[in-house]
Amino acid sequence: MVGTNIGGWQVLEPWITPSLFYRFLGNTQSEGVGMDQYSFCEALGPEEGNKVLREHWDTWITEDTFIDMAAREVEMIRVPIGDWTLKPYGPYVGCTDGAKEKVQWLMDTAQKYDIKVLLDVHAVKGSQNGYDNSGQSNRTIWTDENNFNHWDQAYGEWMGVYDEAEGGNNCGDYQNPNMENIEWAKDTVQGILTQWGSHPALYAIEPVNEPWWCTDLDLLKTFYRDVRTMMVEQQPRLLFVFHDAFHGDAGTWNDLFEDDDKDNVVMDTHRYFAWGGQHGDIGTYCDEYGADMSHLQEVKYPVWVGEWSLATDVCALWLGGFNDANTDASRECQRVDCPVSYMPVHGTDFDRTAENLGPYGSSGLTRSHATIQNGTCAIDSAWYDDDEVMRLGQCVIDIFNWAIDGHFMWTVRNELEPRWNYITSYDKGWIKNSTPAAEFTQ
């Protein structure tokens, strides 16, 4: 199954659409700073936020996107949505009006082009991993009007406040879980089943994306079982997809369901090169990836790699958060002119002559790739040229074809990064499902 993700559309991520977040450069905490969907809506308010979001939804993904995907081997799309789509709360009220209708448009357009849809609940109340891709960069602390700290306490607190106290919620062992949030997440899936369960384009549901590695796995497994029961009772044709919570091994997950009760169950795992550290010959990435994928064959369910990319470094501007970074780049990043907004009405720009523009995360001034500098944005290192990326891409596709059951590149479109962009990567020949990888690994 060949697929891609519709990233940065319904769940905002600054590094995918940096121009959408230019409007916050130079702002202080008091003036409002959007770093994720939650703070975006908080900073702009319901009326202005909704105007901007509606134009973003209409321009970031269009019918032309589907034409492009259909012409490039895409059989299925993984569509991240927030749990606010059907039942907005907090700053999402008013700000996200129209989200449900845009998802309906996407479902209908996918059906028109014979593309299957995996609806992925990418963001849940309380944040399942602490990242901006959960809707909220959880526990961001402002140290003054121009500086903040996120990564020192980026906890996933969907299942309960993480406190590490005796008898409290410790890594992997939650003694005081937030059952209201868990029930809310189940109700989110119920809403999806009610609204789109019988839609011909809907093929699968993933009830939560990337719950962090310290998640209480017993609680998570109970949640997964409860959601699957709902799906089997109401829409048994749909595939139930569960993320591995960064524990992608058979020992952790083969007991989730009995051997005679695993129909329509798929495990989702996310595997990136970018955080793998410095390598020499690009073929060594492929060697490691193949060994990694071979272990997945011990998992008793079909396995999809729900996210991956061809980036070999963490250089992408704001990959570690708005004006922040949590990982050193392993090689010198390239810098290119920052993109001009894709939105003709509500798009904004910034002072491209400024050396830097705050506010700054705790690593925003110590890691060069974290900030815009003199109008330039960081992208992946030039250490590997296009021919070498071609070697890597073709080798990875070959591994996917023998080792797993589906793969979804993150993401279909990116304002800056070709190696995080399905359309560009395909057009460059990097990921076409046509050239034997052996030709590139001699």
Side-chain angles (χ1 to χ4, degrees):
M1 184 72 69
V2 177
T4 187
N5 285 269
I6 309 298
W9 184 57
Q10 285 293 318
V11 180
L12 303 182
E13 298 185 37
W15 74 278
I16 297 176
T17 55
S19 72
L20 185 61
F21 288 79
Y22 289 166
R23 67 194 73 239
F24 303 113
L25 289 169
N27 282 12
T28 63
Q29 180 192 10
S30 299
E31 291 170 326
V33 179
M35 306 180 187
D36 47 45
Q37 186 101 13
Y38 191 97
S39 56
F40 180 95
C41 286
E42 213 172 31
L44 296 184
E47 292 186 13
E48 180 65 17
N50 191 239
K51 288 177 184 177
V52 176
L53 282 179
R54 283 179 182 271
E55 187 179 10
H56 162 69
W57 296 333
D58 288 345
T59 52
W60 185 245
I61 300 296
T62 67
E63 185 163 355
D64 284 344
T65 312
F66 282 86
I67 293 171
D68 289 342
M69 292 189 294
R72 292 166 175 80
E73 301 185 51
V74 173
E75 301 170 87
M76 178 159 44
I77 49 175
R78 183 171 177 262
V79 183
I81 63 172
D83 65 355
W84 55 80
T85 303
L86 296 175
K87 45 180 187 177
Y89 55 91
Y92 303 126
V93 176
C95 184
T96 59
D97 283 358
K100 178 181 74 172
E101 289 75 17
K102 285 307 296 187
V103 175
Q104 180 68 46
W105 166 84
L106 178 137
M107 300 290 290
D108 295 342
T109 310
Q111 181 184 1
K112 178 179 177 180
Y113 290 95
D114 197 26
I115 294 175
K116 300 177 176 68
V117 174
L118 159 58
L119 282 181
D120 151 44
V121 185
H122 214 73
V124 299
K125 184 184 286 189
S127 176
Q128 72 275 19
N129 55 33
Y131 306 157
D132 58 8
N133 64 38
S134 71
Q136 188 170 13
S137 304
N138 197 38
R139 289 214 200 180
T140 295
I141 297 171
W142 286 86
T143 54
D144 59 40
E145 280 289 295
N146 294 293
N147 295 276
F148 59 89
N149 182 298
H150 171 230
W151 286 110
D152 286 345
Q153 61 285 320
Y155 302 140
E157 297 189 305
W158 159 53
M159 284 189 164
V161 174
Y162 190 73
D163 52 23
E164 296 184 320
E166 184 176 351
N169 293 331
N170 294 282
C171 190
D173 183 20
Y174 280 45
Q175 298 298 308
N176 300 299
N178 187 329
M179 297 309 296
E180 281 189 18
N181 278 2
I182 295 171
E183 289 302 317
W184 178 276
K186 289 187 205 174
D187 189 60
T188 298
V189 177
Q190 180 56 62
I192 292 171
L193 288 168
T194 301
Q195 186 70 34
W196 295 297
S198 59
H199 196 290
L202 186 62
Y203 188 71
I205 295 174
E206 187 166 4
V208 62
N209 172 68
E210 291 188 347
W212 75 322
W213 49 89
C214 278
T215 298
D216 185 311
L217 291 179
D218 288 337
L219 275 174
L220 184 61
K221 287 179 180 181
T222 298
F223 168 74
Y224 282 160
R225 292 175 184 127
D226 289 348
V227 169
R228 180 172 176 252
T229 296
M230 293 164 52
M231 291 176 60
V232 169
E233 290 175 350
Q234 297 176 53
Q235 292 290 343
R237 70 180 182 86
L238 296 177
L239 272 61
F240 168 76
V241 181
F242 70 93
H243 186 265
D244 62 12
F246 304 101
H247 300 278
D249 61 276
T252 298
W253 294 108
N254 277 0
D255 68 350
L256 182 59
F257 299 108
E258 298 295 334
D259 290 351
D260 60 356
D261 181 31
K262 54 186 177 67
D263 291 347
N264 284 358
V265 174
V266 176
M267 189 180 88
D268 174 22
T269 189
H270 299 168
R271 306 295 170 111
Y272 287 107
F273 301 113
W275 288 271
Q278 189 177 113
H279 286 53
D281 185 89
I282 202 164
T284 60
Y285 283 106
C286 197
D287 294 340
E288 292 173 5
Y289 212 69
D292 192 25
M293 291 294 142
S294 68
H295 295 303
L296 292 174
Q297 294 184 304
E298 299 169 8
V299 176
K300 70 181 186 181
Y301 321 102
V303 174
W304 290 349
V305 176
E307 295 183 19
W308 71 283
S309 83
L310 287 171
T312 55
D313 216 329
V314 295
C315 289
L317 177 79
W318 299 344
L319 182 61
F322 176 80
N323 268 7
D324 206 0
N326 65 328
T327 310
D328 291 327
S330 64
R331 299 191 187 277
E332 183 178 358
C333 303
Q334 300 181 77
R335 297 200 76 89
V336 298
D337 288 340
C338 293
V340 175
S341 177
Y342 53 92
M343 298 194 303
V345 178
H346 293 100
T348 59
D349 207 53
F350 61 98
D351 181 0
R352 291 175 178 260
T353 66
E355 183 178 358
N356 271 297
L357 289 167
Y360 303 106
S362 55
S363 297
L365 289 174
T366 58
R367 291 183 169 117
S368 173
H369 58 285
T371 58
I372 293 173
Q373 298 170 18
N374 303 110
T376 65
C377 292
I379 65 170
D380 210 35
S381 166
W383 181 261
Y384 300 113
D385 63 21
D386 281 7
D387 288 342
E388 290 174 302
V389 176
M390 169 81 83
R391 281 181 60 206
L392 181 62
Q394 289 295 318
C395 182
V396 169
I397 294 299
D398 189 53
I399 290 170
F400 286 158
N401 285 340
W402 67 258
I404 60 166
D405 301 275
H407 54 90
F408 301 75
M409 190 177 194
W410 187 271
T411 180
V412 67
R413 184 182 179 193
N414 185 293
E415 272 197 294
L416 269 172
E417 276 279 10
R419 298 176 191 180
W420 292 90
N421 183 317
Y422 181 93
I423 300 297
T424 303
S425 294
Y426 189 93
D427 288 350
K428 284 179 172 287
W430 295 341
I431 56 172
K432 283 185 179 178
N433 223 335
S434 57
T435 307
E439 291 184 21
F440 295 91
T441 56
Q442 299 300 320

